[in-house]
């Protein structure tokens, strides 16, 4: 094995049958294969080589006809290196062993006698998922320096289109309006506009217009001079001035009262402000990015939001899809949040149980990413085992009452296909395998539902 490149992914095979051990070793010529015959050997190899993926026979000595030693090895592997993808194989009480192995943190299960080709596909997928998770952790750790949208986690085409739009408009010095429901990540995207723009070295200042009383909002935005009102003991710059040379994010712009809308419009037209109690015009070079969850077009039609201000703020309008409109993203984000919060709140937790993943996929997420993050955070704290369950997440099964069977079937097909495409990173063969259909059938469905690129 010494002539193999050192960059090959490392696969640890824990198997006491020497004949099967040799067969597996030579079946995986795309990996650096390490073998072990018992628990001590497996743990030594894990410490020395830190393999990303382990195949583990549960029937290990001194209990080759049982599973006790195998489960003890699984527990020790995950305790030492929780991100390891362990694929368990057993011929002893396969169903019971599979259920227990997954509950104990195994990534997948395979029943003996082993089909080398089928196991090879499971191993390849395990390496792929391990690499994706490692990349997500790297991006999360370096989000400040890695680029404009490094903090965004998504594989959905709808969200990738949003990030592409942001990258295109960020360099242009125009006002941007983000429209989307609460919890969809509007501030993260606004910061992405700032970080991808020439103003990235300036300040990014955010203010939630709905969270500040109307009587104080003007002072917060425009500042005030000393003595302008009772309690104004010193001259204070407003948020617009603080963002000079950078970006001001006006969250919930739809909650700004009409009198203040007039003053905002004047600033956008003249690029000057006057502090409360001041008489001097102050030139300010600040880019405005705003957001709202309200129906801003309806507000303009009803006269509760000035049309001229709308056109000043909405030079570029970006609509943000809800989490329910981003197939596959809920599970992807949930894994990210489990990793983030388990590290500090419950290190024993290593991932999501199968019922949790199913519940996350089925839930509508009316509170979007904010709801998902809060549920996962609470679940990590409350979890008793190594895997977060649907019960930990407190997710009830949705009440779906079909109206038109054909429409329901088509909607279910579309959702399943898009989720599978997201999980398979767009690979058609892997998507078909996940869906349990042939590639020609998948191509027909993609064409029928207009899902092909």
């Amino acid at each position: 094995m010494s002539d193999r490149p050192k960059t090959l992914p490392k696969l640890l095979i824990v198997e006491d049958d020497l004949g099967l051990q040799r067969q597996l070793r030579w079946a995986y010529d795309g990996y650096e294969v390490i073998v072990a015959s018992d628990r001590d050997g497996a743990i030594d190899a894990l410490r020395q080589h830190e393999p990303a993926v382990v195949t583990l026979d549960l029937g290990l000595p001194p209990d080759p006809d049982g599973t006790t030693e195998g489960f003890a090895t699984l527990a020790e592997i995950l305790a030492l290196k929780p991100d390891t993808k362990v694929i368990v194989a057993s011929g002893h009480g396969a169903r019971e062993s599979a259920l227990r192995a997954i509950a104990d943190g195994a990534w997948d299960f395979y029943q003996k006698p082993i089909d080398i080709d089928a196991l090879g596909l499971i191993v390849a997928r395990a390496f792929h998922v391990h690499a994706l998770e490692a990349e997500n952790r790297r991006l999360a750790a370096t989000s400040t320096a890695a680029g404009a949208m490094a903090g965004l986690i998504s594989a959905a085409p709808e969200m990738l289109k949003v990030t592409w739009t942001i990258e295109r408009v960020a360099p242009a010095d125009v006002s941007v309006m983000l429209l989307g429901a609460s919890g969809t990540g509007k501030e993260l995207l606004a910061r992405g506009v700032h970080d991808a723009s020439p103003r990235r070295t300036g300040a990014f200042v955010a203010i939630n217009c709905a969270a500040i009383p109307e009587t104080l909002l003007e002072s917060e935005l425009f500042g005030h001079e000393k003595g302008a009102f009772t309690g104004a003991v010193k001259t204070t710059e407003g948020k617009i001035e603080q963002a000079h040379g950078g970006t001001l994010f006006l969250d919930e712009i739809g909650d700004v009262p009409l009198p203040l809308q007039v003053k905002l419009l004047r600033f956008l037209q003249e690029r000057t402000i006057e502090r409360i109690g001041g008489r001097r015009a102050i030139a300010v070079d600040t880019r405005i990015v705003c957001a709202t969850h309200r129906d801003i077009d309806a507000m303009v039609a009803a006269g509760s939001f000035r049309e001229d201000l709308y056109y000043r703020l909405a030079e570029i309008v970006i609509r943000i899809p809800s989490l329910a409109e981003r197939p596959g993203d809920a599970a992807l984000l949930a894994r990210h949040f489990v990793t983030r919060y388990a590290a500090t709140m419950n290190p024993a937790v290593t991932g999501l149980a199968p019922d949790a993943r199913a519940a996350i996929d089925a839930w509508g997420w009316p509170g979007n990413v904010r709801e998902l993050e809060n549920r996962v955070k609470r679940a990590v704290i409350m979890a008793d085992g190594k895997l977060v369950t649907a019960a930990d997440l407190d997710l009830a099964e949705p009440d779906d009452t079909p109206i038109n069977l054909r429409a329901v079937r088509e909607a279910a097909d579309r959702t399943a296909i898009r989720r599978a495409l997201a999980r398979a990173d767009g690979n058609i063969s892997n998507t078909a395998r996940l869906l349990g259909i042939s590639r020609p059938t998948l191509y027909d469905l993609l064409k029928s539902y207009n899902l092909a690129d």
Side-chain angles (χ1 to χ4, degrees):
M1 306 296 290
S2 60
D3 59 335
R4 294 194 175 188
K6 294 181 179 180
T7 55
L8 288 176
K10 294 180 180 180
L11 169 65
L12 171 60
I13 296 173
V14 186
E15 172 61 61
D16 65 324
D17 184 326
L18 296 181
L20 184 56
Q21 197 180 91
R22 285 193 296 271
Q23 185 181 4
L24 290 171
R25 177 197 290 269
W26 296 114
Y28 299 122
D29 57 358
Y31 309 110
E32 180 182 342
V33 178
I34 305 106
V35 295
S37 302
D38 54 23
R39 190 197 333 178
D40 289 341
I43 299 307
D44 288 343
L46 186 78
R47 293 181 187 277
Q48 180 180 350
H49 299 283
E50 297 188 339
V53 178
V54 176
T55 64
L56 171 64
D57 179 14
L58 290 178
L60 295 177
D63 182 28
D65 296 322
T67 59
T68 305
E69 190 68 10
F71 279 116
T73 305
L74 172 63
E76 199 163 342
I77 288 172
L78 293 177
L80 286 171
K81 197 167 180 289
D83 64 327
T84 307
K85 301 300 177 193
V86 183
I87 303 166
V88 169
S90 174
H92 307 280
R95 177 173 172 77
E96 293 75 14
S97 295
L99 291 172
R100 180 180 170 188
I102 296 300
D104 286 356
W107 188 76
D108 210 337
F109 183 92
Y110 198 82
Q111 185 176 355
K112 285 187 170 183
I114 290 175
D115 180 329
I116 297 296
D117 291 335
L119 184 57
L121 292 174
I122 297 173
V123 168
R125 190 162 65 247
F127 273 108
H128 178 65
V129 172
H130 186 276
L132 287 176
E133 291 177 351
E135 179 68 4
N136 275 338
R137 288 192 296 271
R138 187 189 69 80
L139 289 175
T142 60
S143 59
T144 303
M149 303 311 300
L152 180 72
I153 297 173
S154 177
E158 294 83 359
M159 205 63 190
L160 297 179
K161 181 180 178 181
V162 169
T163 61
W164 178 84
T165 303
I166 285 175
E167 289 169 357
R168 288 292 300 270
V169 305
D173 202 13
V174 294
S175 297
V176 177
M177 179 175 285
L178 304 172
L179 301 180
S182 296
T184 49
K186 295 188 287 292
E187 183 167 347
L188 176 65
L189 294 172
R191 188 175 289 276
V193 173
H194 172 75
D195 290 342
S197 75
R199 296 174 175 268
R200 66 179 67 90
T201 56
F204 176 83
V205 179
I207 181 171
N208 188 323
C209 300
I212 299 172
E214 183 176 333
T215 53
L216 299 178
L217 185 55
E218 182 179 3
S219 176
E220 283 290 315
L221 286 172
F222 293 91
H224 59 262
E225 298 288 348
K226 180 179 179 180
F229 50 82
T230 303
V233 295
K234 64 176 182 178
T235 297
T236 302
E237 288 186 347
K239 300 295 186 184
I240 296 174
E241 273 188 270
Q242 292 173 19
H244 176 70
T247 304
L248 174 65
F249 175 50
L250 297 174
D251 197 8
E252 299 303 346
I253 188 68
D255 289 82
V256 173
L258 279 168
L260 194 52
Q261 289 180 28
V262 176
K263 196 165 183 179
L264 267 176
L265 176 62
R266 181 173 179 82
F267 156 65
L268 290 169
Q269 290 173 334
E270 306 294 334
R271 292 296 168 175
T272 61
I273 63 163
E274 287 185 11
R275 299 184 188 128
I276 297 175
R279 297 181 179 180
R280 179 173 60 92
I282 302 171
V284 181
D285 176 24
T286 297
R287 181 183 192 172
I288 300 294
V289 178
C290 64
T292 183
H293 72 283
R294 293 176 177 268
D295 185 342
I296 199 75
D297 291 322
M299 293 181 68
V300 169
S304 58
F305 197 90
R306 293 183 62 98
E307 186 174 18
D308 45 7
L309 177 60
Y310 171 77
Y311 288 120
R312 285 285 182 178
L313 291 171
E315 292 177 305
I316 299 290
V317 175
I318 301 175
R319 301 185 184 275
I320 306 169
S322 67
L323 187 54
E325 297 170 322
R326 297 160 50 180
D329 273 7
L332 191 66
L333 284 161
R335 288 196 294 269
H336 166 73
F337 291 138
V338 166
T339 300
R340 177 199 289 182
Y341 292 117
T344 56
M345 297 180 175
N346 191 350
V349 172
T350 60
L352 293 163
D355 70 332
R357 293 196 294 269
I360 287 168
D361 275 340
W363 194 251
W365 300 112
N368 294 291
V369 180
R370 185 177 294 119
E371 179 192 356
L372 173 62
E373 182 175 4
N374 288 342
R375 280 187 182 270
V376 171
K377 185 177 182 179
R378 182 175 65 245
V380 167
I381 295 170
M382 301 302 294
D384 291 325
K386 293 184 177 180
L387 299 178
V388 169
T389 66
D392 295 326
L393 290 164
D394 193 24
L395 288 179
E397 292 186 4
D399 180 18
D400 293 326
T401 306
I403 303 295
N404 179 285
L405 190 56
R406 176 178 290 180
V408 170
R409 285 175 175 169
E410 180 175 333
D413 283 351
R414 287 175 178 273
T415 300
I417 291 169
R418 295 170 77 181
R419 283 176 176 160
L421 281 167
R423 291 182 185 179
D425 199 24
N427 183 283
I428 295 297
S429 296
N430 289 340
T431 300
R433 191 176 299 113
L434 284 171
L435 292 169
I437 59 178
S438 66
R439 286 180 54 175
T441 300
L442 177 57
Y443 279 120
D444 288 343
L445 289 171
L446 290 172
K447 184 177 179 180
S448 174
Y449 296 141
N450 198 27
L451 295 174
D453 291 335

